[in-house]
């Protein structure tokens, strides 16, 4: 799945637009290797340094 496909599906499931995803909700998409059931290899993460750092530490191992 591409990053664009992930964002599109995320927005459809959340009933928001891509613009809202990036601007109103301040989300970015980062790779994810959590191996949880249903993980699509990407994660929507709040675009704050502390959130990005936590995600990288917890869910980007082995990437």
């Amino acid at each position: 799945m591409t990053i664009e496909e992930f964002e599109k599906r995320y927005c459809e499931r959340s009933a928001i637009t891509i613009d809202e995803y990036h601007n109103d909700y301040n989300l970015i998409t980062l790779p994810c290797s959590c191996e949880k059931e249903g993980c699509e290899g990407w994660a929507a993460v709040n675009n704050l340094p502390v959130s990005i750092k936590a995600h990288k530490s917890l869910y980007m191992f082995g990437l």
Side-chain angles (χ1 to χ4, degrees):
M1 169 179 295
T2 67
I3 192 170
E4 292 83 8
E5 291 169 330
F6 172 82
E7 290 180 356
K8 182 177 185 246
R9 289 178 61 180
Y10 183 99
C11 290
E12 287 170 353
R13 289 192 306 261
S14 302
I16 62 173
T17 66
I18 294 287
D19 184 63
E20 289 172 320
Y21 178 89
H22 291 288
N23 299 312
D24 297 342
Y25 292 95
N26 197 30
L27 296 172
I28 61 168
T29 303
L30 295 177
C32 184
S33 62
C34 72
E35 300 178 358
K36 292 181 182 178
E37 186 175 330
C39 180
E40 300 170 315
W42 299 100
V45 178
N46 194 292
N47 193 13
L48 294 172
V50 68
S51 298
I52 295 167
K53 182 178 179 179
H55 177 79
K56 286 181 176 181
S57 165
L58 296 169
Y59 303 112
M60 288 180 63
F61 49 88
L63 296 176

